Amino acid sequence: FELAGLVVAHEHLLERTLDAAGALGLADALAAFLDGLQIEEADADIDLATVVEGEFAEHWRKSADFLDVALTAWPRRLAELGLMDVATRRVALLRRLAALWREAPPAQVLIAAGSTGSTKATADLLATIAAAPRGLVVLPGLDFSLAEAAWEAAEDQHPQGSLRRLLRRAGVARADVRRWQGSEETIDASRWRLRVINEALRPAELTADWLAVIAELEREAPGAIRTGLAGLSLVNAHGEEEAASAAALMLREALEVPGRTAALVTPDAGLARRVEARLTRWNVTADSSVGQSLALSSQAILAGLVARAMVDPVDPIVLLALVKHPATRLGLPAEALAAARETLERRGLRGPRPRDWAALERRLADPSGRTEAAIDLAQRLRQVLRPAMDLFADDTTTAADAAKAVAQAVESLAAGPRGGGSEFWTGQGGAGVAEVLSRLISESEALPPVTRSGFAELLEGLLAREITRPGGASHPRLRILGVLEARLIQADLVILAGLEEGVWPAAAPIDPFLSRPMRARIGLPPPERRIGLAAHDFAQAACAPEVVLLHTQRRGGSPTVQSRWLWRLRTLIAGAGLEPFGRPEVLAWARALDAPLADPPPSLRTAQRPRPAPPVSARPRELPVTAVETWVRDPYAIYARRILGLKRLDPPDARMDAMARGTAIHRAFERFALDHPGDLPQDGEQIFQALIWDALEVAGMPGARMVREAALARNVAPWVLEFERRRRPGARLLVERSGRMQWDAPAGAFALTARADRIEARGKVADILDFKTGRTPTQKQVDAGLSPQLSLTAAILAAGGFSDIGPATPGELLYVRVTGGRTPGEEQWRDAGDAAALAAAALEGLKRRVARFDDPATPYVSRAAAQFIADPGDFDQLARLWEWAVVGDAEGAE
């Protein structure tokens, strides 16, 4: 936070305006820069302007100016606080300890083991220990067999690079380092593995003589490479899920051998958590050092939801998540909360988003009073969030005040009928969230004011940075470790996972302040040095007695590039004429673990195409013309809707653009025809636009979308006026009229209904119009009876089913498609030259269908005409469509 304040105070030098999250991000980068200077003991008094030359981009000059100011301002601020940087203190302690031991070397045994001396102060301390009378420095993995040319070329990215720098700084030749006195058997069993790994990772410019190196190894010891590869296996998983299953299975397999230990080593925290989850299949909990992000805890999720509710207080998805969170009580007993929550969800938060709290309460209103509990719940929720919302009356507030509001809100949400709420802060998750919020409250005064969305981003970022490590019993013989922790353990089986470029090794970090040449000129190491340290860790871990190298071919659905170390090792093995040892049985296990059985019992078999055949007495005796099309294409949908009485629930925050636009166009045409049945008004275009606008507002179209809809309305209004001028002469307009006809079928009377958008009557002939904003059926679909809406409406018209008209001859069957786009509207005729004949044919086809379904043996088959269904159906999941149409056998369509 202190560095973020420094960044904000001098953001003009960067020519940027930063929000709180951006300031903290640059503060992280500034901290890394300052730590780098202190750890490397670079000259802090250097004039950074001198390291920027003409060929460098201008933004590097701005960075240099900013860092020059920071190098002055930060020490001054530390002096005011009476503090020093952690890195500075650590370096000073190492230097002081080295000085004390040089002046008075300890007489007792003094051993330093496991360090590569990657920093100057550590390297000098190791040299001091080695010079003590009984001092000893144990170097991890020093390669004595690496050719001298390769040793001299080992730079930052090479696994021996850090050890080479250490020995050079200490003035010790590699040949003068003594070998650790282990047993001869141990050395013989492992030295060829070490030799193969080190040869595979030799500097890239010295790999041209690999064939010569392979020949030399074989002369030195026939079969040396094969011996070195014994116990080393390669597993290529297809994806992350398969990789996790394979790793979990190998860890579980290790437990079958008494006393056998196993460890998974990976820098990929996501993969480690997947493996942890899969081990629970066998009730096994591994000792894991990975932990999980605090943001995944229940308390952090609730705090993040409150912050998101500040951004959009009536976002249905956020509100549902708030009231369904397990910690939420809102002062209500559990049973009352559950009942009110269900009503609030079904009646208030499903479907299009309400505009505001008042609109939500209007949607919930019910004269019977059955929704009072849901209205009360909405009011309680609003009351809890109101203080947080009031903070942003001026659009911004301080991060501290926003954090206080979140803390108060989560306590109010968690309070039960008798108060409380403080138990929210218990456990690791609660303590972690409390720590983050308390730091924001007490230490964030240097941050710039935050907006609603800016604070939500800030809080979510801070929660995601924190790692929690739940305690509890774990299996003593299994471990899941990060790369650093793996340096300290041994195991009989080591699985090295995440061997993809960008994962292990990770990509070199990007410094937003300094270019690579600039870093070199002020004495900072190149970013690739971390790759060299990672390579050293990999080489050490790969020399365990039994090692499995686990590579994932795809991540997030995208192909990966295998780790450079793995690629080099495979290339070396191929040069020796060998194949990497694999464990194909592991992938077979992983794939078989959840694979369907070849001959499953009936309860586990793939569902067949549903073919329900309810009794005729339960089958519908009346249908609208719009449902007939569904009946033709997907009879099962009629069964589910009309017989079982099921209705699709709208999703929360449903997109309403298409639905609201279609409704608005229908209402606009209806009102325009009713209000102006005769001559068209002079300002007809403005009137039609206003009618669309009013209809969209009534439907609750979001304000941000209304701008686009207004443009579409302006575009379509001139076309509509021209359409009306052409259609009206000599016509009597009847809008939104209902019609009905009935006939005797085998199981009794059957009725067909229709609601026509518009009928234009001209004597004994009448045209039928249907207004559309989306797709319209093709002429082929109408002729084939797949889209009989207009033709069946015409049949009702011909039979006198529209009482305002009486029997009339069908004229034009017209779809009027209105979009407001590049083509504002168009007329599409579907009468094939003889509307009466088309209507008669459609009615005859419907009568045959009714007669067929009056037979109790006729089933309501799912997707009988699947190839003519473009959109997902409301009951596809109930019909288990994916099981029989994709996984199983889709034969049997009618």
Side-chain angles (χ1 to χ4, degrees):
F1 284 126
E2 286 287 343
L3 286 174
L6 190 153
V7 168
V8 171
H10 299 93
E11 63 182 2
H12 61 280
L13 295 174
L14 299 171
E15 298 183 7
R16 295 176 61 182
T17 300
L18 298 166
D19 60 9
L24 282 175
L26 278 184
D28 274 338
L30 180 58
F33 166 73
L34 294 171
D35 280 350
L37 285 179
Q38 295 153 8
I39 291 171
E40 297 299 325
E41 301 175 80
D43 184 4
D45 296 327
I46 187 172
D47 182 4
L48 290 175
T50 62
V51 303
V52 183
E53 296 181 352
E55 72 268 18
F56 291 96
E58 180 62 26
H59 67 270
W60 293 126
R61 293 185 178 277
K62 298 172 185 175
S63 295
D65 293 341
F66 172 80
L67 292 178
D68 268 333
V69 172
L71 287 174
T72 303
W74 182 239
R76 185 167 59 243
R77 177 59 177 156
L78 285 174
E80 293 172 2
L81 296 172
L83 300 170
M84 67 190 303
D85 271 324
V86 172
T88 301
R89 181 175 184 274
R90 184 182 299 120
V91 170
L93 287 171
L94 290 172
R95 290 289 180 197
R96 181 57 179 154
L97 184 60
L100 287 173
W101 283 349
R102 279 196 302 271
E103 295 167 5
Q108 70 269 30
V109 173
L110 192 60
I111 301 175
S115 174
T116 61
S118 56
T119 66
K120 296 176 182 177
T122 304
D124 290 345
L125 178 61
L126 293 177
T128 301
I129 293 172
R134 302 181 67 188
L136 178 66
V137 174
V138 182
L139 301 180
L142 180 63
D143 186 4
F144 292 95
S145 62
L146 190 64
E148 193 61 30
W151 170 260
E152 291 299 327
E155 296 297 340
D156 292 301
Q157 297 190 52
H158 193 274
Q160 296 292 309
S162 57
L163 291 173
R164 176 175 169 271
R165 286 191 302 274
L166 171 63
L167 292 178
R168 178 171 293 183
R169 186 173 182 88
V172 176
R174 180 177 53 153
D176 294 335
V177 178
R178 288 181 292 172
R179 295 179 184 269
W180 184 261
Q181 296 302 308
S183 67
E184 290 298 324
E185 293 77 15
T186 301
I187 294 175
D188 288 343
S190 64
R191 64 174 180 144
W192 294 118
R193 169 78 61 78
L194 178 64
R195 184 76 177 273
V196 168
I197 296 295
N198 286 337
E199 287 295 346
L201 302 186
R202 64 164 43 204
E205 60 271 18
L206 296 176
T207 56
D209 62 345
W210 256 351
L211 292 177
V213 170
I214 292 170
E216 181 182 344
L217 282 172
E218 290 299 311
R219 284 194 300 270
E220 185 176 346
I225 296 180
R226 187 180 297 276
T227 301
L229 295 177
L232 182 69
S233 304
L234 172 63
V235 174
N236 277 311
H238 179 71
E240 295 162 285
E241 297 300 324
E242 187 173 270
S245 293
L249 281 163
M250 287 187 284
L251 292 174
R252 177 63 184 85
E253 181 194 23
L255 299 182
E256 293 297 303
V257 180
R260 184 173 172 80
T261 59
L264 170 68
V265 179
T266 180
D268 183 353
L271 177 63
R273 293 191 190 103
R274 281 186 168 99
V275 174
E276 282 187 78
R278 279 158 178 75
L279 285 172
T280 60
R281 186 178 204 141
W282 303 287
N283 294 321
V284 173
T285 301
D287 182 8
S288 176
S289 67
V290 176
Q292 68 176 11
S293 170
L294 174 61
L296 299 177
S297 69
S298 173
Q299 293 92 335
I301 289 171
L302 186 59
L305 287 170
V306 170
R308 281 293 160 196
M310 293 181 182
V311 180
D312 186 353
V314 289
D315 182 340
I317 295 175
V318 173
L319 292 183
L320 270 178
L322 280 171
V323 297
K324 289 188 172 185
H325 192 281
T328 297
R329 297 294 300 276
L330 284 167
L332 295 170
E335 298 81 3
L337 174 62
R341 182 174 59 210
E342 182 177 355
T343 305
L344 175 64
E345 175 182 355
R346 286 178 175 266
R347 296 198 51 161
L349 297 179
R350 285 188 174 270
R353 145 184 332 213
R355 282 199 167 187
D356 49 32
W357 288 102
L360 175 59
E361 291 185 21
R362 285 195 300 270
R363 188 183 290 183
L364 290 169
D366 186 337
S368 68
R370 288 178 296 180
T371 59
E372 288 182 359
I375 295 173
D376 174 67
L377 178 60
Q379 291 172 345
R380 287 171 182 259
L381 199 55
R382 181 181 184 182
Q383 191 69 23
V384 167
L385 297 175
R386 178 174 290 167
M389 297 303 305
D390 291 344
L391 280 176
F392 294 96
D394 297 326
D395 294 329
T396 62
T397 188
T398 65
D401 287 343
K404 289 178 186 176
V406 169
Q408 293 166 357
V410 295
E411 282 202 2
S412 298
L413 286 167
R418 299 180 181 178
S422 58
E423 63 273 11
F424 173 84
W425 309 111
T426 60
Q428 286 192 327
V433 174
E435 178 71 12
V436 170
L437 291 176
S438 65
R439 288 184 179 181
L440 278 170
I441 292 169
S442 62
E443 300 177 14
S444 66
E445 65 273 6
L447 293 180
V450 293
T451 62
R452 302 167 192 260
S453 58
F455 179 74
E457 181 184 353
L458 171 67
L459 180 60
E460 289 172 349
L462 291 174
L463 293 173
R465 291 159 55 114
E466 300 296 322
I467 300 297
T468 62
R469 291 180 173 81
S474 59
H475 201 286
R477 292 195 280 133
L478 293 187
R479 294 184 179 182
I480 299 176
L481 303 167
V483 176
L484 291 178
E485 297 87 352
R487 296 175 180 178
L488 306 176
I489 65 99
Q490 285 183 323
D492 298 318
L493 168 67
V494 175
I495 304 168
L496 305 182
L499 291 172
E500 296 86 48
E501 284 295 308
V503 181
W504 197 10
I510 298 175
D511 189 336
F513 291 120
L514 298 173
S515 66
R516 293 169 185 267
M518 292 168 68
R519 289 179 62 89
R521 292 182 188 185
I522 63 177
L524 293 179
E528 288 78 11
R529 182 168 293 183
R530 295 187 183 183
I531 296 178
L533 295 174
H536 184 270
D537 290 330
F538 168 78
Q540 288 294 98
C543 289
E546 185 176 349
V547 177
V548 176
L549 307 178
L550 181 56
H551 166 61
T552 304
Q553 296 173 353
R554 302 182 73 87
R555 282 181 171 270
S558 300
T560 63
V561 176
Q562 64 182 356
S563 171
R564 65 192 70 182
W565 309 321
L566 185 56
W567 180 85
R568 284 164 167 263
L569 181 60
R570 296 182 67 171
T571 303
L572 179 66
I573 294 171
L578 300 174
E579 288 290 333
F581 296 125
R583 291 202 59 185
E585 76 281 3
V586 172
L587 293 181
W589 294 342
R591 292 163 185 165
L593 197 59
D594 297 307
L597 299 174
D599 185 20
S603 61
L604 296 179
R605 287 175 186 164
T606 303
Q608 300 300 305
R609 182 193 295 265
R611 306 169 63 89
V616 174
S617 59
R619 302 189 182 197
R621 306 310 301 169
E622 180 177 310
L623 285 177
V625 294
T626 51
V628 172
E629 179 173 340
T630 304
W631 195 11
V632 171
R633 297 171 184 248
D634 188 7
Y636 184 83
I638 296 295
Y639 166 77
R641 179 72 182 91
R642 305 275 171 175
I643 298 176
L644 297 184
L646 301 178
K647 184 180 178 182
R648 176 180 177 271
L649 283 175
D650 290 327
D653 199 15
R655 284 185 62 88
M656 63 173 303
D657 300 17
M659 177 177 63
R661 188 181 303 116
T663 302
I665 289 294
H666 279 79
R667 287 183 178 175
F669 270 102
E670 178 185 3
R671 291 310 316 164
F672 194 71
L674 292 175
D675 295 344
H676 308 282
D679 295 335
L680 296 175
Q682 293 292 327
D683 57 347
E685 292 185 17
Q686 290 76 16
I687 292 174
F688 195 83
Q689 290 180 46
L691 289 172
I692 293 178
W693 184 272
D694 292 343
L696 289 172
E697 283 199 321
V698 170
M701 176 71 76
R705 305 293 299 174
M706 290 290 279
V707 177
R708 175 179 181 273
E709 297 301 330
L712 294 177
R714 285 194 300 271
N715 198 25
V716 80
W719 183 88
V720 170
L721 266 292
E722 191 274 334
F723 168 83
E724 293 286 357
R725 290 190 187 100
R726 284 189 294 101
R727 298 291 311 180
R728 287 195 179 193
R732 181 164 66 99
L733 303 185
L734 298 99
V735 298
E736 297 295 331
R737 295 304 170 94
S738 297
R740 188 176 190 275
M741 69 179 297
Q742 182 175 305
W743 66 91
D744 290 329
F750 188 91
L752 178 68
T753 64
R755 186 171 180 82
D757 289 347
R758 178 155 141 182
I759 298 176
E760 296 176 354
R762 295 176 177 85
K764 292 295 184 180
V765 178
D767 301 333
I768 301 174
L769 283 68
D770 190 70
F771 297 102
K772 297 284 189 185
T773 54
R775 289 192 303 264
T776 59
T778 66
Q779 184 67 54
K780 287 183 178 181
Q781 290 173 332
V782 173
D783 293 342
L786 290 167
S787 298
Q789 177 184 348
L790 287 187
S791 49
L792 288 176
T793 304
I796 296 174
L797 175 69
F802 288 94
S803 57
D804 293 343
I805 304 173
T809 300
E812 296 177 342
L813 305 182
L814 181 63
Y815 283 110
V816 182
R817 187 168 183 264
V818 183
T819 64
R822 186 169 297 176
T823 301
E826 57 182 329
E827 299 165 74
Q828 300 176 354
W829 288 268
R830 295 290 183 267
D831 50 32
D834 189 348
L838 189 64
L843 180 59
E844 185 61 30
L846 177 59
K847 288 181 176 181
R848 290 196 302 269
R849 174 169 286 271
V850 172
R852 185 152 57 90
F853 276 82
D854 279 352
D855 179 353
T858 302
Y860 285 81
V861 178
S862 177
R863 295 213 166 204
Q867 66 270 38
F868 300 110
I869 300 177
D871 300 317
D874 291 343
F875 305 103
D876 287 348
Q877 186 175 9
L878 183 66
R880 297 169 73 171
L881 174 68
W882 279 88
E883 286 190 43
W884 57 263
V886 178
V887 179
D889 183 6
E891 295 300 320
E894 294 191 353

